[in-house]
Amino acid sequence: MEKLDFKIDGMSCAACSKSAERSLKKTPGISSAIVNIATEKAVIEYDPSICSIEDIRLAVEKVGFHMVMEEDEIVEEENEIVLKRFIIAIVFASLLFTVSMGPMIGIGLPHIVSPHENPVYHAILQIVLVVPVMIAGSKFYTNGYKSLFNKSPNMDSLVAVSTSAAFIFSLVNTYRLAFDNEFHNSILGTHQHLPLYFESCGVIIALIMLGKYFEARSKAKTSKAIKSLMDLQAKTAIIEVNGEEKEIPIENVEIGNIILVKPGQKIPVDGTVIFGNTSVDESMLTGESIPIEKNIGDFVTGASINKNGFIKFRAEKIGKDTMLSQIIKLVEDAQNKKAPIANLADVVSGYFVPAVMLISIISALLWFFIGRAGFEFSLTIFVSVLVIACPCALGLATPTAIMVGTGVGAENGILIKGGDSLESAHKITTVAFDKTGTITEGKPTVTDIYLVDNSIDSDELIRLAASSESNSEHPLAEAIVEYAKEKKIDLYQVDRFESITGKGIITEISGTIDNIDKNIDNDKKFFIGNRKLIEEFVGVIDNKSIEKASELANLGKTPMYIANSKSLLGIICVADTVKKSSKAAISKLHDMGIKVAMITGDNEKTARAIAGEVGIDIVKADILPSEKSNVIIELQNEGEFVAMVGDGINDAPALAQSNVGIAIGNGTDVALESADIVLMRSDLMDVPNSIKLSRETIKNIKQNLGWAFGYNIIGIPFAAGFFYIFGGPLLNPMISAAAMSFSSVSVVSNALRLRKFKTFNKI
């Protein structure tokens, strides 16, 4: 068996993907097939000795779609094509609507096309205007009727059948206006509106094409996540051959090659350090902002950045085996998995269209054969049922609410990439947060200053520490230097700087400020680092200071000891501080009945400290990038509908695996592209706001569907002549169209109420 994935062009809804999947599964030689409407991709397993690529292509084309192999794919701006078609449709539909309905509201038309003076020319003008709209929306007809003939009706089928019915009925009446004098005179004699529904046909197509454009634009972003991940990889590597350096393409690196990495360069592949030491920024992979110290024997990963040292390492994982490639694969797999996204209109369409067509045919036949009503009366019954059941309101119920909902979201800094995302968010039962840059600011800052030597004050301790750290590129050092700048503290001149790997730094300072000699008692050598550094070079630290440092460490902070050659001077703590909005947002999620989890690569102690501070329910610490998506799967297996909130590349697989991915706006490009919802203002209160918006939108959609079905349930029996049998009124096509139009107005008006959406108060 072989595996093959390819794109399927032309799908528009869940019913389309089911139709394509069913056709593929019926093809001899194909053992399994998964078609994803969101990514527009199919993944199949097949026996090439039984089934050829051409057989697969024919199976897809049989149901009205097109198979596109990646190697054959010509890059084109599909969104531009969809937009151009929509512009054509909306321009001609607007003109058509004005020509058709204008006389009813006092808009005068030229004598030659006046509906009462020259009704035939008026009708012909409408035909001229509606044809370009139908050509622009031709996909509705090709896909819709193919799906209908394959017994898999979808939303395209609803549009195709209803607009075709309106168009054909209007054509028949145009013919009668031109050649049936009795009908012609009856229209002129009563000055009634011409029984033509070309404008209904045109406007329905134009509005649905607008929704298709937004959908296409959203889907076009799917592949960017993978592309952004691939762009992280180094393009070349420097290998050592017989003692000489040689730069080669990344594809030519082999396992066992000795690779050299200089300061500032990307590490090309995964391997083990055999020479040198450095600190490596792995934030693009782990999401943690503090670089990791790497010494001989430590493992380094491709795409991470070598900060300040020179190292050599032996390549151990290359190509598809590197951590970056595994993350890319996780994102691809998660995106191609089928998600049970509810789409009520598509499900209903599978029953609605056949039922309406059956009712219209049976009604017409009963009146013709049993009621002896004649062909014209029976045709009127047939068309009336189809027109009253025209799915304008049904088709608008979901997209109008979603369009308004996404617009309101954008106004409030919540970028929702598609209707599916907005629909899914209301089902969230658990929200999983990344820690660094999501719950926390993602940038270390000075949080505590503890003085041991009373001969100096806190500003002097910061001055000594910042002066010493001014030559370091370590984020903890940068935090102290930045703090000194904020406090406008002048720094001393540093004469000597030495980094002790895994322990800290040793410096010598010469005074540029008059009081330095008095403050430090002529001792110009300073030690800044962890407990090991101080005890090795200065002496044993007193128990009180150790207890204080331990207490601060238990709160998730990193304590740094500052000493001269004689004694400990003080402790400075640096930590990634919690965002002001985190606690309030998590509290609001609890109020909404939603559990909150935190997934982080940080250590258990720090994670627990942060969790306790903000009220997290579930803590998953020491989680590797490849394991984050596994945590999401575990939660999903427990029956939870999970939203993942993150900002780093390491979050991309989890964002894709989750039911709803939510990215922080200041995060990496790949995190933003992998997510369904992006919080542009980086305010965590927008997480509960997103869910609240989804809940209100779904409520609005259900109300809209209630209106749409309500009109059909009431109108279809009238249109079929059921009440006419008992002396009641007969619903002619004109009244059917009026009822249909009123249902559409009701749906759109109800959707517009979402514009009054109120967000929770932000911090």
Side-chain angles (χ1 to χ4, degrees):
M1 301 300 291
E2 292 187 8
K3 189 175 181 180
L4 178 70
D5 55 28
F6 53 88
K7 183 180 178 183
I8 296 181
D9 186 36
M11 297 190 298
S12 62
C13 65
C16 294
S17 61
K18 288 178 184 177
S19 176
E21 191 174 283
R22 186 162 50 245
S23 181
L24 286 167
K25 286 180 177 178
K26 287 180 179 179
T27 305
I30 296 180
S31 60
S32 69
I34 297 175
V35 179
N36 189 324
I37 184 63
T39 60
E40 297 181 328
K41 282 188 176 181
V43 179
I44 67 168
E45 288 187 1
Y46 73 108
D47 186 343
S49 65
I50 301 174
C51 177
S52 67
I53 297 296
E54 188 59 28
D55 293 330
I56 298 169
R57 189 185 301 276
L58 289 173
V60 174
E61 291 179 350
K62 178 183 176 182
V63 287
F65 310 122
H66 302 286
M67 174 183 178
V68 182
M69 297 294 291
E70 278 192 46
E71 57 266 29
D72 300 332
E73 188 172 1
I74 299 173
V75 178
E76 61 175 350
E77 294 295 333
E78 292 184 2
N79 288 356
E80 289 186 11
I81 295 174
V82 175
L83 179 59
K84 287 176 182 178
R85 287 178 174 269
F86 165 68
I87 290 172
I88 292 171
I90 197 66
V91 168
F92 279 94
S94 299
L95 292 172
L96 175 61
F97 187 81
T98 302
V99 168
S100 174
M101 308 302 291
M104 298 179 66
I105 57 175
I107 298 177
L109 295 176
H111 169 76
I112 194 170
V113 291
S114 170
H116 300 302
E117 297 178 48
N118 289 292
V120 175
Y121 288 150
H122 183 254
I124 291 173
L125 177 59
Q126 292 186 56
I127 294 172
V128 170
L129 292 173
V130 78
V131 168
V133 181
M134 298 180 76
I135 292 173
S138 59
K139 273 193 173 183
F140 293 130
Y141 300 98
T142 55
N143 294 344
Y145 281 115
K146 278 187 179 180
S147 297
L148 191 61
F149 295 148
N150 281 284
K151 301 176 183 178
S152 302
N154 54 24
M155 283 299 294
D156 287 345
S157 302
L158 285 170
V159 176
V161 170
S162 58
T163 55
S164 294
F167 182 76
I168 292 170
F169 180 75
S170 300
L171 278 181
V172 171
N173 281 344
T174 300
Y175 176 84
R176 294 175 70 190
L177 279 170
F179 300 104
D180 187 336
N181 289 330
E182 184 178 342
F183 181 75
H184 183 281
N185 293 332
S186 69
I187 295 298
L188 291 180
T190 57
H191 295 283
Q192 59 181 302
H193 176 64
L194 298 182
L196 305 175
Y197 307 104
F198 293 121
E199 82 283 351
S200 296
C201 176
V203 171
I204 289 169
I205 292 172
L207 288 176
I208 295 176
M209 285 184 72
L210 175 61
K212 294 292 182 185
Y213 167 67
F214 285 121
E215 181 182 341
R217 190 174 65 173
S218 176
K219 284 182 179 179
K221 297 179 180 179
T222 307
S223 62
K224 289 185 180 179
I226 304 298
K227 195 175 293 184
S228 297
L229 280 171
M230 291 179 173
D231 288 343
L232 287 173
Q233 190 177 46
K235 302 298 184 288
T236 61
I238 300 174
I239 64 171
E240 186 176 72
V241 181
N242 299 324
E244 295 183 359
E245 296 181 9
K246 182 181 179 182
E247 188 170 0
I248 62 172
I250 189 71
E251 298 82 15
N252 295 344
V253 174
E254 298 179 355
I255 293 176
N257 282 156
I258 304 303
I259 298 177
L260 288 65
V261 187
K262 300 173 183 178
Q265 290 183 336
K266 281 185 178 180
I267 294 173
V269 295
D270 299 358
T272 301
V273 177
I274 60 171
F275 173 83
N277 58 74
T278 187
S279 61
V280 176
D281 180 2
E282 296 182 342
S283 60
M284 67 289 298
L285 296 172
T286 65
E288 302 305 325
S289 57
I290 299 176
I292 308 299
E293 299 292 338
K294 300 291 183 179
N295 300 299
I296 294 174
D298 289 337
F299 193 77
V300 291
T301 56
S304 57
I305 299 173
N306 180 28
K307 293 288 286 184
N308 49 25
F310 172 78
I311 59 170
K312 296 180 184 180
F313 73 93
R314 182 178 289 106
E316 295 179 356
K317 292 184 179 181
I318 61 174
K320 294 182 178 179
D321 294 327
T322 64
M323 182 178 291
L324 177 63
S325 296
Q326 289 174 1
I327 290 176
I328 292 172
K329 183 67 167 56
L330 284 169
V331 174
E332 286 178 330
D333 289 346
Q335 287 185 340
N336 286 325
K337 285 178 184 174
K338 296 188 73 175
I341 299 173
N343 195 326
L344 187 56
D346 280 334
V347 173
V348 170
S349 69
Y351 302 96
F352 184 73
V353 174
V356 168
M357 292 188 70
L358 189 63
I359 291 170
S360 62
I361 292 170
I362 291 175
S363 299
L365 291 175
L366 286 174
W367 278 107
F368 185 77
F369 289 107
I370 298 176
R372 307 290 183 182
F375 177 77
E376 185 175 341
F377 184 89
S378 300
L379 179 62
T380 301
I381 291 291
F382 175 76
V383 176
S384 292
V385 173
L386 286 179
V387 172
I388 192 73
C390 178
C392 184
L394 180 61
L396 290 172
T398 300
T400 49
I402 286 176
M403 284 174 63
V404 176
T406 51
V408 169
E411 289 173 4
N412 288 278
I414 303 168
L415 179 60
I416 301 167
K417 293 187 176 179
D420 291 346
S421 306
L422 187 60
E423 278 189 79
S424 298
H426 85 284
K427 296 184 285 186
I428 293 169
T429 58
T430 298
V431 175
F433 287 94
D434 173 49
K435 180 183 76 70
T436 306
T438 304
I439 291 177
T440 65
E441 295 289 353
K443 182 181 179 181
T445 57
V446 174
T447 58
D448 299 87
I449 301 172
Y450 176 72
L451 296 174
V452 176
D453 189 333
N454 293 326
S455 66
I456 62 173
D457 57 21
S458 59
D459 282 357
E460 184 62 26
L461 190 68
I462 288 293
R463 178 180 284 117
L464 293 171
S467 300
S468 300
E469 298 281 17
S470 60
N471 293 323
S472 173
E473 295 180 357
H474 197 287
L476 297 181
E478 291 175 5
I480 295 174
V481 173
E482 187 63 31
Y483 183 81
K485 288 181 180 178
E486 290 175 4
K487 292 286 186 177
K488 297 182 179 179
I489 297 174
D490 296 322
L491 303 185
Y492 295 128
Q493 179 180 321
V494 177
D495 294 332
R496 177 188 168 218
F497 176 91
E498 180 183 356
S499 176
I500 309 297
T501 303
K503 296 178 181 179
I505 62 172
I506 301 174
T507 64
E508 287 185 7
I509 295 176
S510 63
T512 56
I513 295 179
D514 293 339
N515 66 347
I516 183 170
D517 290 339
K518 180 183 71 174
N519 285 340
I520 61 176
D521 196 21
N522 295 320
D523 190 340
K524 298 184 180 181
K525 183 178 283 189
F526 295 92
F527 304 84
I528 303 175
N530 57 25
R531 181 177 173 182
K532 290 180 181 178
L533 179 77
I534 304 303
E535 291 185 340
E536 180 179 346
F537 291 96
V538 180
V540 177
I541 301 174
D542 64 282
N543 290 333
K544 185 178 179 182
S545 297
I546 292 174
E547 288 174 4
K548 184 64 178 178
S550 178
E551 175 189 329
L552 293 168
N554 286 333
L555 295 175
K557 302 173 182 180
T558 302
M560 289 186 290
Y561 295 92
I562 297 95
N564 58 23
S565 58
K566 297 178 182 178
S567 63
L568 182 67
L569 300 176
I571 300 171
I572 296 176
C573 268
V574 174
D576 186 4
T577 56
V578 172
K579 288 181 179 177
K580 293 180 180 179
S581 61
S582 295
K583 188 173 183 179
I586 291 167
S587 175
K588 186 59 67 176
L589 289 170
H590 286 152
D591 292 342
M592 298 171 75
I594 297 171
K595 298 176 187 175
V596 181
M598 182 172 71
I599 308 173
T600 179
D602 216 335
N603 62 73
E604 183 81 18
K605 183 184 289 185
T606 300
R608 291 286 176 188
I610 297 294
E613 184 177 347
V614 297
I616 299 287
D617 303 311
I618 305 165
V619 178
K620 299 289 184 179
D622 296 309
I623 302 297
L624 296 174
S626 59
E627 295 173 340
K628 285 195 173 185
S629 59
N630 293 335
V631 175
I632 300 296
I633 293 172
E634 288 175 12
L635 292 169
Q636 290 170 331
N637 289 339
E638 293 171 5
E640 301 295 332
F641 197 88
V642 184
M644 175 67 194
V645 185
D647 73 327
I649 289 167
N650 66 305
D651 302 319
L655 287 168
Q657 176 61 50
S658 63
N659 301 99
V660 180
I662 303 175
I664 303 298
N666 60 0
T668 61
D669 289 341
V670 67
L672 302 185
E673 295 299 342
S674 298
D676 302 298
I677 299 172
V678 178
L679 309 183
M680 300 304 293
R681 299 175 185 172
S682 303
D683 190 324
L684 286 196
M685 280 301 291
D686 281 335
V687 175
N689 281 331
S690 302
I691 299 171
K692 180 186 179 187
L693 178 60
S694 174
R695 289 180 177 181
E696 293 194 13
T697 303
I698 294 304
K699 180 181 177 182
N700 192 280
I701 288 171
K702 290 178 179 178
Q703 292 169 346
N704 288 346
L705 290 171
W707 280 108
F709 285 116
Y711 283 110
N712 283 300
I713 291 170
I714 295 171
I716 288 176
F718 278 100
F722 178 79
F723 295 107
Y724 186 71
I725 298 172
F726 304 100
L730 178 66
L731 202 63
N732 63 41
M734 185 183 301
I735 299 175
S736 297
M740 178 200 68
S741 300
F742 184 64
S743 68
S744 302
V745 171
S746 300
V747 165
V748 174
S749 298
N750 188 52
L752 290 174
R753 292 193 306 109
L754 283 171
R755 295 176 67 88
K756 298 179 181 179
F757 173 77
K758 299 293 184 183
T759 61
F760 295 121
N761 292 330
K762 297 185 179 183
I763 302 301

